[in-house]
């Protein structure tokens, strides 16, 4: 029965994440980029806003805390192992397609953040809640589709955001340090409970501290490897570009791939990594302290910049240059490919990668707990949130000690099903997105406060 269930969701996942979904997502990225006049050119302004606290704004957490929580859920094992897997399956050209997806995905993340603020709601207790479900209900009047999005989000949180991340932590510590998965599971379960029971402010506080710290260490490790492989960096970049558009064998230790394979795996991994279009990040963006929708839209867009344009690109260059520099690196699987590349750092290489994977996975658990909570709150009300948190914490332990093949496939399906109603809202409300952008960004009124910023 389990095998049959696993095969069903595997087939469904392949169907949902096939070319129609990739075309829909990438097409939305490009469409929004054009009608919003390339918001990517404002990325440095977005970064400045993300670290600037606005005491006059309305919201539950700072813009930086909101961004850090979204990045905590986004920057995960997909950035490390996922990029390597894309290269192993699609060749070095997959790195370029992954990067381009991030560049254009900035526009979609911008639009998601804008709608999150435009249609967020203040509850009776004064706290703020929002996300694609509110854009669907209040912006389009399609509550039935909003309910479906919330259901898919609540389910997806237990997959890609919880059990599979806990399993990755337990597996890694067991293989590296021979620690029992039961011990690791209990510890991660306790740490998760200590954070998530405190609510959004507790999650945001931990993520604000954890995300910059973990990203800095990982980036420093990448910079070191690139400096060691400096003679192979330019050849690696050239190989990445040429392989993205050439059907010829890549050479240098890489298997031969087609342009279609490079594009498919690169785009799919980029979309899965930065979550632009999935509708997850706007759930926490809605809680941000901001004066108007466009300020938070810019801050949200910087998340895709850090996640894919910087971190995924660096990972890709590290792996491709390492394969050129060390012919002994083979393509057993993505995890092995990344591990061998980092092992070239004397003494600290393997611990650095281990630490990066552990912190990335744990931060993803925290971020997705918040997404799931808000979905449950939308569906059933605040009184169900505590019960959801407790079940979520227990699932962390179960994920650490279970075989999760079928869970991975179910999680992939839920994420794809989240994207569909979210993309519908983005396309259907694109006129509103353009109107708000013209009002605040194009007319230079970013410091203006919208009087009806909360519905």
């Amino acid at each position: 029965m389990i095998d049959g269930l696993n095969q069903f969701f595997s087939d469904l996942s392949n169907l949902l994440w096939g070319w129609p979904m990739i075309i829909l997502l990438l097409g939305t990225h490009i469409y929004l980029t054009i009608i919003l006049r390339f918001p990517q050119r404002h990325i440095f302004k977005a970064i400045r806003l993300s670290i600037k606290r606005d005491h006059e704004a309305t919201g539950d957490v700072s813009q930086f805390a909101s961004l850090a929580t979204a990045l905590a859920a986004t920057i995960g094992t997909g950035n490390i192992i996922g990029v390597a897997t894309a290269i192993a399956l699609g060749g070095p050209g997959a790195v370029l397609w992954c990067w381009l997806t991030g560049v254009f995905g900035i526009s979609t993340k911008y639009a998601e953040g804008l709608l999150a603020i435009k249609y967020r709601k203040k509850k009776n207790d004064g706290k703020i809640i929002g996300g694609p479900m509110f854009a669907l209900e209040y912006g389009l009047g399609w509550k039935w589709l909003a309910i479906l999005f919330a259901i898919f989000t609540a389910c997806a949180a237990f997959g890609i955001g919880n059990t599979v991340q806990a399993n990755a932590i337990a597996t890694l510590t067991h293989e590296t340090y021979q620690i029992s998965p039961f011990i690791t599971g209990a510890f991660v379960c306790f740490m998760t409970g200590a954070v998530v029971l405190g609510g959004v402010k507790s999650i945001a506080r931990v993520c604000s501290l954890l995300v910059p710290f973990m990203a800095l260490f990982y980036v420093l490790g990448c910079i070191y490897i690139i400096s060691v492989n400096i003679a192979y960096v330019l050849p690696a970049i050239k190989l990445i570009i040429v392989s993205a558009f050439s059907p010829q064998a890549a050479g240098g230790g890489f298997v031969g791939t087609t342009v279609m394979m490079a594009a498919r795996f690169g785009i799919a991994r980029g979309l899965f990594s930065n979550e632009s279009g999935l509708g997850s990040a706007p759930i926490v963006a809605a809680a941000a302290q901001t004066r108007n929708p466009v300020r938070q839209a810019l801050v949200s867009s910087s998340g895709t910049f850090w996640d894919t344009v910087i971190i995924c690109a660096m990972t890709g260059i590290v792996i491709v240059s390492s394969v050129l520099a060390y012919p002994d690196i083979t393509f057993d699987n993505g995890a092995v490919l990344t591990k061998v590349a980092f092992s070239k750092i004397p003494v600290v290489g393997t611990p650095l990668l281990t630490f990066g994977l552990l912190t990335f996975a744990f931060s993803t658990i925290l971020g997705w707990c918040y997404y799931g909570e808000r979905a449950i709150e939308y569906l059933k009300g605040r009184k169900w949130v505590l019960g959801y948190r407790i079940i979520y914490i227990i699932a962390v332990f179960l994920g650490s000690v279970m075989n999760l093949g079928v869970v991975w496939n179910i999680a992939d399906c839920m994420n794809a099903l989240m994207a569909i109603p979210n993309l519908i809202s983005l396309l259907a409300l694109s006129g509103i997105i353009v109107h708000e952008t013209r009002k605040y960004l194009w007319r230079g009124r970013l410091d203006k406060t919208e009087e009806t910023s909360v519905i």
Side-chain angles (χ1 to χ4, degrees):
M1 180 178 176
I2 296 297
D3 291 340
L5 189 66
N6 187 35
Q7 186 60 49
F8 170 77
F9 281 105
S10 177
D11 294 340
L12 181 60
S13 175
N14 291 332
L15 175 64
L16 291 172
W17 282 106
W19 277 108
M21 174 63 78
I22 291 174
I23 292 171
L24 176 61
L25 274 163
L26 189 59
T28 301
H29 290 350
I30 296 173
Y31 171 71
L32 290 173
T33 295
I34 294 172
I35 67 170
L36 294 173
R37 301 179 185 176
F38 292 82
Q40 292 88 342
R41 58 197 174 96
H42 300 290
I43 193 63
F44 293 109
K45 182 183 295 184
I47 293 172
R48 288 196 299 271
L49 286 174
S50 70
I51 59 177
K52 182 179 180 182
R53 192 173 185 88
D54 191 347
H55 296 283
E56 299 180 12
T58 302
D60 292 338
V61 297
S62 69
Q63 289 183 315
F64 178 76
S66 169
L67 174 63
T69 304
L71 280 174
T74 304
I75 300 177
T77 54
N79 297 82
I80 302 176
I81 297 175
V83 174
T85 302
I87 295 172
L89 297 173
V95 176
L96 180 63
W97 289 107
C98 181
W99 186 80
L100 288 174
T101 301
V103 171
F104 286 105
I106 289 173
S107 299
T108 300
K109 191 64 72 73
Y110 169 93
E112 289 178 318
L114 191 153
L115 292 181
I117 299 298
K118 182 68 178 177
Y119 295 106
R120 64 182 179 174
K121 181 179 181 182
K122 181 178 286 187
K123 301 181 297 179
N124 293 333
D125 60 4
K127 293 184 178 180
I128 294 174
I129 186 172
M133 51 276 201
F134 289 87
L136 286 163
E137 179 178 354
Y138 295 102
L140 294 172
W142 297 343
K143 187 170 183 177
W144 64 274
L145 197 55
I147 291 173
L148 286 178
F149 174 85
I151 292 173
F152 297 145
T153 302
C155 293
F158 281 101
I160 193 62
N162 182 321
T163 51
V164 296
Q165 302 296 333
N167 189 265
I169 294 173
T171 300
L172 183 65
T173 54
H174 178 68
E175 291 179 351
T176 306
Y177 303 108
Q178 289 72 55
I179 300 175
S180 169
F182 288 90
I183 296 175
T184 302
F187 177 74
V188 177
C189 181
F190 171 79
M191 293 299 295
T192 302
V195 177
V196 303
L197 290 176
V200 60
K201 291 186 177 180
S202 177
I203 294 174
R205 190 182 309 115
V206 172
C207 291
S208 296
L209 295 173
L210 189 60
V211 168
F213 183 69
M214 70 183 189
L216 176 62
F217 271 82
Y218 181 73
V219 168
L220 288 175
C222 289
I223 291 174
Y224 176 84
I225 296 176
I226 290 173
S227 65
V228 171
N229 298 342
I230 191 66
Y232 297 91
V233 171
L234 287 180
I237 294 174
K238 179 180 179 181
L239 181 61
I240 288 170
I241 296 173
V242 172
S243 299
F245 304 102
S246 172
Q248 298 177 356
F254 291 97
V255 295
T257 56
T258 66
V259 173
M260 294 295 287
M261 289 174 64
R264 182 186 184 281
F265 289 109
I267 293 172
R269 181 47 54 196
L271 296 172
F272 195 75
S273 173
N274 60 52
E275 297 183 9
S276 295
L278 292 187
S280 52
I283 296 176
V284 69
Q289 296 167 350
T290 187
R291 300 186 186 195
N292 57 67
V294 172
R295 285 176 71 97
Q296 181 56 36
L298 288 170
V299 172
S300 294
S301 71
S302 68
T304 299
F305 173 79
W306 293 120
D307 174 83
T308 307
V309 178
I310 300 299
I311 295 180
C312 284
M314 292 188 72
T315 302
I317 294 173
V318 162
I319 293 172
V320 176
S321 64
S322 294
V323 172
L324 294 179
Y326 306 101
D328 61 309
I329 298 180
T330 59
F331 284 82
D332 295 325
N333 57 60
V336 172
L337 189 58
T338 310
K339 186 175 181 179
V340 173
F342 269 80
S343 69
K344 301 304 178 181
I345 303 178
V347 183
V348 299
T350 299
L352 178 63
L353 178 62
T354 301
F355 175 78
L357 285 169
L358 291 178
T359 53
F360 283 12
F362 180 65
S363 68
T364 300
I365 291 173
L366 300 181
W368 270 93
C369 181
Y370 180 76
Y371 296 158
E373 283 183 19
R374 297 289 76 81
I376 288 296
E377 187 169 355
Y378 176 81
L379 292 169
K380 303 296 292 185
R382 184 68 185 172
K383 62 182 179 179
W384 288 75
V385 171
L386 179 59
Y388 183 87
R389 288 177 183 168
I390 293 173
I391 296 173
Y392 191 90
I393 293 167
I394 294 172
V396 170
F397 177 79
L398 296 177
S400 301
V401 299
M402 290 171 56
N403 186 320
L404 297 179
V406 66
V407 177
W408 263 111
N409 289 323
I410 294 175
D412 284 346
C413 294
M414 291 300 104
N415 276 333
L417 292 171
M418 282 176 62
I420 295 172
N422 179 58
L423 292 172
I424 290 173
S425 70
L426 291 173
L427 295 173
L429 294 171
S430 59
I432 297 294
I433 297 170
V434 172
H435 171 78
E436 294 293 313
T437 302
R438 180 185 299 111
K439 180 179 179 181
Y440 293 105
L441 182 60
W442 297 345
R443 294 177 179 172
R445 303 174 71 245
L446 278 176
D447 291 331
K448 298 295 181 180
T449 300
E450 184 176 57
E451 296 180 0
T452 57
S453 60
V454 182
I455 59 179

